[in-house]
Amino acid sequence: MNVHRPAAERRDADAFFARISTDPLADAFSGRMGAHAHGGGMAVPPEEVAGLWHGLKAAPRTGPSVAYVHVPFCENRCLFCGFYQNPWRRELGAPYVDAVLAQLEAGARTAAQQGHPLRAVYLGGGTPTALAARDIARLVEGLHRHLPLAPDCEITLEGRIVSFGLEKARAAFDAGVNRISLGVQTFDDGVRRRMGRKSTRAETVRFLEGLMRLDRGAVVIDLIYGLPGQDRATFQEDVRLAAALGLDGLDLYSLKSIPGTPLMMAQDKGKLAVAAPGELGHFYADGAAEMDRAGWEAISTTHWRQGTRERSLYNFEVKAGAHCLAFGAGAGGNLQGHGFRIVPDLDTYRERAANGGAGLVAGLIRPSPLGPAHAAIKAGMERGRLVFAPVDRALASCGVGGGFEPLAAPLLAQWQRAGLLTGHSMSVALTLAGRFWQVAMTARLIAWTDLRLSEAENEAHRRVTA
């Protein structure tokens, strides 16, 4: 890998390059760039949305495809959550499922919804497990009825332990769910009380053990590190307990301080204190070490599995640029590279879904000209190993020659010196510190690629017109 740094590349060091230090887990980056890798697409003018959406629905899908179903209700707002939309009331459940089924039926004969099989469907929120057992069952049955699900389609039901129960779990499995993902966040009773969690450690463990005894599908939980009142020893105990329960999958996520959330407001008032940013990488390292000691396999930079039942297909495919059909108020999806969102207002959604689905799309984003290359970069970084050949092919499909490695070499070489990756001429692998900083690195690598190609295009234009 070429380590030479031309002047044009040195100019952008502050934005892209990592800090060289003895502790890259703590301070490789200072957050100068956004936390997520944006695609660079442009919003479609409102007057063009309806016509473009009609064309997208009529275009056959090819390639990896998934679907997302949004259930935008929560029994209470988690302190750290920036996605809260609507308070849950029991009487809202059945009419909402009716509306989603109406949307599914309205699009059943479109080329976008039919044809190419779907690899995964994710019922997220919100809190889908708040729905009554019969409504969960008929929603999942409707997915089977109106969508071209692959024979091995992964169908995930996301939720919380409170108000779920084994009866609902059985109903979900009977209807066709084969993966359940629960936001446990922490087992520690003190931290749970501080975060407003309603079930105790003992109740949480008891339910998870009962769910595992059903043996009907993959069971996955999330844990968060950096929570108020949580130290590294507490988090290590959380991970050890999760590893000992016989679960199929485990996600380890860093706490994000999101403006406007109850947690952020409590922090601003000095009522709650979270882990310092420089400590979070060491929490991650502790969790990864516990997973390694327990013999679990890392299948992404944040997700581990035990055994082969867990696949985490939706999470990977949607980050890698798969087509994503979207159903439910506020759901977001992707068709032919165009991002879209369904109207979020519940009354508007129910009315339009019941009247044939016209006007359900609230907005569209045009794809970036380099969208396929962005997706290939994100896919590799998400897995923790970026192989250059898929990115080369994606760039070629965008009309860009010359390959990815010469383009990215100065940045990747600097990251290697900073202790974030190892590599050779065909691929790079993220180190432990690199896996912790993966999202920040992906955003920088995509922006670097766009910038270098833009500079090359401008230089070529200058030479032609000189």
Side-chain angles (χ1 to χ4, degrees):
M1 183 179 295
N2 180 17
V3 298
H4 179 61
R5 289 169 57 188
E9 286 147 5
R10 289 196 300 271
R11 183 179 65 230
D12 301 302
D14 287 344
F16 298 101
F17 291 169
R19 183 179 292 109
I20 305 292
S21 79
T22 58
D23 189 5
L25 277 166
D27 58 9
F29 298 104
S30 59
R32 289 184 297 269
M33 190 171 292
H36 294 283
H38 299 289
M42 299 292 290
V44 174
E47 64 273 15
E48 298 178 20
V49 167
L52 179 55
W53 180 243
H54 179 76
L56 291 172
K57 289 192 298 180
R61 284 178 296 105
T62 58
S65 300
V66 299
Y68 177 74
V69 181
H70 195 47
V71 182
F73 306 104
C74 294
E75 292 151 304
N76 66 288
R77 182 173 183 178
C78 298
L79 296 186
F80 52 80
C81 181
F83 304 102
Y84 178 84
Q85 286 185 259
N86 304 291
W88 167 248
R89 297 197 306 274
R90 185 173 300 176
E91 64 271 19
L92 297 175
Y96 183 76
V97 170
D98 290 341
V100 177
L101 293 174
Q103 183 191 353
L104 282 160
E105 185 174 4
R109 288 176 294 279
T110 62
Q113 189 166 316
Q114 287 303 316
H116 202 75
L118 302 183
R119 299 182 180 186
V121 179
Y122 196 94
L123 285 78
T127 314
T129 52
L131 295 172
R134 63 184 177 277
D135 289 325
I136 293 174
R138 64 194 188 95
L139 178 54
V140 177
E141 289 162 359
L143 298 174
H144 280 275
R145 188 164 58 251
H146 296 301
L147 295 177
L149 306 184
D152 63 345
C153 183
E154 173 191 272
I155 303 178
T156 299
L157 177 68
E158 181 187 53
R160 295 176 60 181
I161 289 169
V162 171
S163 78
F164 189 14
L166 295 183
E167 177 191 351
K168 285 187 186 180
R170 290 189 186 93
F173 286 133
D174 287 344
V177 166
N178 53 31
R179 183 176 185 267
I180 289 178
S181 178
L182 300 171
V184 170
Q185 319 313 359
T186 178
F187 291 102
D188 184 85
D189 279 327
V191 181
R192 289 182 70 80
R193 283 194 298 271
R194 196 171 287 110
M195 297 302 295
R197 311 303 283 183
K198 293 182 179 298
S199 60
T200 66
R201 170 191 173 114
E203 290 166 341
T204 301
V205 169
R206 187 160 54 247
F207 176 74
L208 291 173
E209 289 173 337
L211 199 56
M212 293 303 301
R213 281 194 296 270
L214 293 180
D215 197 22
R216 300 282 302 278
V219 177
V220 181
I221 69 168
D222 298 341
L223 295 178
I224 292 179
Y225 54 89
L227 295 168
Q230 182 189 55
D231 57 23
R232 288 171 61 184
T234 301
F235 178 63
Q236 286 174 304
E237 175 56 30
D238 279 346
V239 179
R240 281 194 290 267
L241 176 54
L245 285 173
L247 302 167
D248 300 288
L250 176 66
D251 286 294
L252 302 181
Y253 292 126
S254 172
L255 178 68
K256 301 293 189 297
S257 294
I258 302 173
T261 60
L263 177 57
M264 191 69 171
M265 290 186 283
Q267 287 178 250
D268 292 342
K269 294 176 182 178
K271 295 181 177 180
L272 289 175
V274 301
E279 298 175 1
L280 293 174
H282 293 285
F283 276 86
Y284 177 83
D286 291 340
E290 292 295 339
M291 288 286 90
D292 187 58
R293 276 191 284 271
W296 286 49
E297 175 190 5
I299 60 174
S300 81
T301 56
T302 57
H303 191 67
W304 284 257
R305 73 174 181 181
Q306 180 175 235
T308 57
R309 178 175 261 172
E310 164 63 344
R311 296 177 293 164
S312 195
L313 287 179
Y314 175 86
N315 291 322
F316 176 74
E317 296 291 358
V318 78
K319 292 175 183 176
H323 298 287
C324 182
L325 306 177
F327 305 93
N334 171 50
L335 275 177
Q336 312 296 339
H338 292 76
F340 67 93
R341 189 184 185 213
I342 305 298
V343 291
D345 179 74
L346 288 174
D347 291 335
T348 303
Y349 172 73
R350 284 192 292 259
E351 178 184 350
R352 294 180 182 179
N355 290 324
L360 276 175
V361 172
L364 282 165
I365 302 294
R366 295 190 194 277
S368 163
L370 293 174
H374 295 168
I377 291 170
K378 284 191 271 190
M381 296 291 282
E382 173 74 12
R383 293 293 198 195
R385 177 178 290 276
L386 179 60
V387 180
F388 299 151
V391 188
D392 290 343
R393 291 192 293 270
L395 285 170
S397 75
C398 301
V400 177
F404 175 70
E405 195 274 341
L407 195 69
L411 181 60
L412 299 180
Q414 198 277 337
W415 284 352
Q416 187 166 339
R417 293 197 303 276
L420 300 176
L421 52 80
T422 59
H424 49 76
S425 60
M426 298 176 66
S427 68
V428 290
L430 302 185
T431 64
L432 178 67
R435 293 172 75 87
F436 170 70
W437 288 107
Q438 180 265 125
V439 173
M441 292 168 68
T442 300
R444 285 165 170 79
L445 186 54
I446 287 174
W448 172 280
T449 302
D450 288 357
L451 178 62
R452 292 298 164 259
L453 289 174
S454 176
E455 289 177 342
E457 183 178 354
N458 290 340
E459 177 62 19
H461 178 73
R462 185 190 65 79
R463 290 176 180 175
V464 169
T465 57

